[in-house]
Amino acid sequence: LMNSLLRHGLLAMLALFSGVGLSLITVTFSTASWQSVALLAILSSAIFAWLSWRFLVRPLGVLKAELATLQQNNSLAQAFMQNAPLVLAIKDKDGKYLAANPAFLQLHGKMPGEVLGQIDLAIMEEKIAQTARANDLKVIQNGQTVSYQLPIASPLGKRQMEIIKFPLYDKAQQIMGVGLVANDVSEREFSNEKLSRVFEASPNWILITRLADGVIVDANQGFERLSGHTRAAAIGHAISELNIWAFPEQRAALVASLMQETRITDALVQLRRKDGEIRDFKVSATLVSLELERDSHAVWIARDVTDELALHEKFAAAFRLTPDLITISRAADGNYVEVNPAFEHFSGYTR
């Protein structure tokens, strides 16, 4: 406030002295009356005051406001760089680091002085540095964002980083450098690897299909073995094209149930192999969200129970037809669970 009052006071004095000076010059070189001179002094003071405000005080105020905004933006940018959990860095067109946040320094085990002004070769392994520089050049040459994954040997252990690089432009819209944002996806990749191993090692057939049209997006080795179709031939085709469902209405009923319940367990269906053989399967399914769409896909797990059901039927037939008494009871309380016809005949009790 005091600076503003002082500035305006000086402006008023400058305008007043300018008006008086002009008036004295007018008196000296003309025969105008003192009234005219006084009027001229007032007018000239007002004109000088307006000109001073327009071309001196106002620009200074605008400059001060712009400077304050710039300082605030710079503080926000610094706070963002210092506190972001992601790895952030800025490089010039020659690949030298202009800025790097604490997460970047921690990942590489470096101090700021060991990074700023340096290129990748001075910070990381040669092969990794060459890959990083090649992607920098892609950004600079094409002016487009690139993303890729890179393993980093870090003091934190081997980390799998998902890296996004993008061009930085100056006021003339010329590329001046490259921005870098990296996220540690090591845990996610480890989980994906475990799921992939389970997916491939399962003896059951596992399919991932789009719910909307039944197109197969992935299949495991169990599917190849049990269905006779190769994974390469199945992916990208609707399951109806493979003529797998012996009774398509079973699939329609299961999909309808899946949409309501989001999960199906051990539904008995008949599926057709590539060679035409129809076998019994128990199918379980669940909805999953893929491609950024909620409940957009279904995971189908099918277990071949043909032999199991045949064995069960043989046992059931022997159980019914044998002349020997057979009973099945619970061990906990001795209550009968099942009895055969021979028991009924011998004991006189009905089943």
Side-chain angles (χ1 to χ4, degrees):
L1 178 62
M2 290 301 296
N3 289 337
S4 178
L5 291 173
L6 180 62
R7 185 169 64 250
H8 284 81
L10 290 174
L11 175 63
M13 292 178 64
L14 176 63
L16 178 61
F17 289 146
S18 298
V20 171
L22 182 60
S23 300
L24 291 176
I25 293 173
T26 302
V27 169
T28 303
F29 295 99
S30 71
T31 58
S33 65
W34 282 103
Q35 292 84 353
S36 298
V37 171
L39 179 60
L40 179 61
I42 294 172
L43 289 174
S44 59
S45 296
I47 292 171
F48 274 108
W50 181 84
L51 290 174
S52 299
W53 176 83
R54 177 67 179 81
F55 294 104
L56 180 61
V57 175
R58 185 182 178 189
L60 287 176
V62 172
L63 181 61
K64 183 177 180 181
E66 291 178 349
L67 182 60
T69 301
L70 183 61
Q71 290 174 338
Q72 182 182 21
N73 292 341
N74 184 59
S75 297
L76 289 173
Q78 288 292 331
F80 177 78
M81 288 286 288
Q82 292 297 316
N83 296 288
L86 300 176
V87 172
L88 305 174
I90 298 174
K91 305 162 81 172
D92 64 17
K93 293 176 68 174
D94 295 325
K96 295 180 180 178
Y97 283 92
L98 303 177
N101 74 334
F104 181 97
L105 301 176
Q106 184 182 30
L107 175 67
H108 294 285
K110 302 291 184 180
M111 299 297 290
E114 298 175 292
V115 171
L116 301 183
Q118 300 295 325
I119 61 175
D120 289 315
L121 278 171
I123 299 170
M124 56 191 75
E125 296 176 357
E126 181 178 357
K127 185 177 180 180
I128 303 300
Q130 290 173 348
T131 301
R133 183 54 183 163
N135 283 284
D136 289 347
L137 294 176
K138 285 182 184 179
V139 173
I140 294 170
Q141 292 167 2
N142 301 326
Q144 296 180 345
T145 297
V146 299
S147 61
Y148 59 98
Q149 288 194 12
L150 201 61
I152 300 290
S154 167
L156 304 175
K158 185 177 180 180
R159 314 306 297 172
Q160 186 73 14
M161 304 301 296
E162 187 173 61
I163 301 170
I164 299 175
K165 290 184 175 179
F166 50 92
L168 299 175
Y169 293 92
D170 58 19
K171 290 184 178 180
Q173 291 302 302
Q174 299 296 314
I175 293 177
M176 58 183 291
V178 175
L180 177 154
V181 178
N183 185 31
D184 189 342
V185 295
S186 305
E187 298 303 324
R188 187 183 74 190
E189 290 301 307
F190 179 63
S191 296
N192 289 343
E193 183 180 354
K194 289 193 296 183
L195 289 174
S196 178
R197 289 180 180 178
V198 171
F199 182 78
E200 291 299 339
S202 174
N204 301 322
W205 116 14
I206 304 178
L207 282 180
I208 301 176
T209 65
R210 282 205 303 260
L211 200 59
D213 53 16
V215 169
I216 298 170
V217 298
D218 207 351
N220 72 338
Q221 294 178 5
F223 169 81
E224 293 185 312
R225 185 179 64 258
L226 294 174
S227 72
H229 295 279
T230 65
R231 179 176 182 270
I235 291 178
H237 295 276
I239 197 167
S240 59
E241 295 178 39
L242 303 181
N243 198 27
I244 285 176
W245 289 85
F247 304 101
E249 60 272 16
Q250 288 182 336
R251 179 183 183 274
L254 289 180
V255 170
S257 178
L258 191 60
M259 293 292 290
Q260 292 182 348
E261 306 295 333
T262 72
R263 183 181 297 273
I264 298 169
T265 304
D266 286 343
L268 183 62
V269 300
Q270 287 69 48
L271 302 178
R272 182 183 291 106
R273 286 174 44 85
K274 186 178 181 181
D275 59 14
E277 180 187 3
I278 295 177
R279 297 182 66 85
D280 294 310
F281 284 81
K282 283 191 174 180
V283 171
S284 298
T286 186
L287 294 181
V288 294
S289 301
L290 298 177
E291 300 175 359
L292 303 180
E293 295 183 31
R294 180 175 175 80
D295 295 342
S296 58
H297 292 67
V299 178
W300 301 86
I301 302 175
R303 180 167 60 92
D304 189 340
V305 295
T306 305
D307 296 338
E308 179 183 324
L309 292 180
L311 182 61
H312 182 272
E313 182 58 34
K314 287 180 181 179
F315 174 79
F319 185 81
R320 291 193 306 269
L321 298 175
T322 180
D324 299 323
L325 281 72
I326 301 178
T327 64
I328 301 174
S329 59
R330 283 197 299 263
D333 54 18
N335 288 339
Y336 289 122
V337 176
E338 187 61 271
V339 298
N340 71 340
F343 174 86
E344 292 182 298
H345 178 73
F346 176 79
S347 67
Y349 290 102
T350 63
R351 180 173 177 274

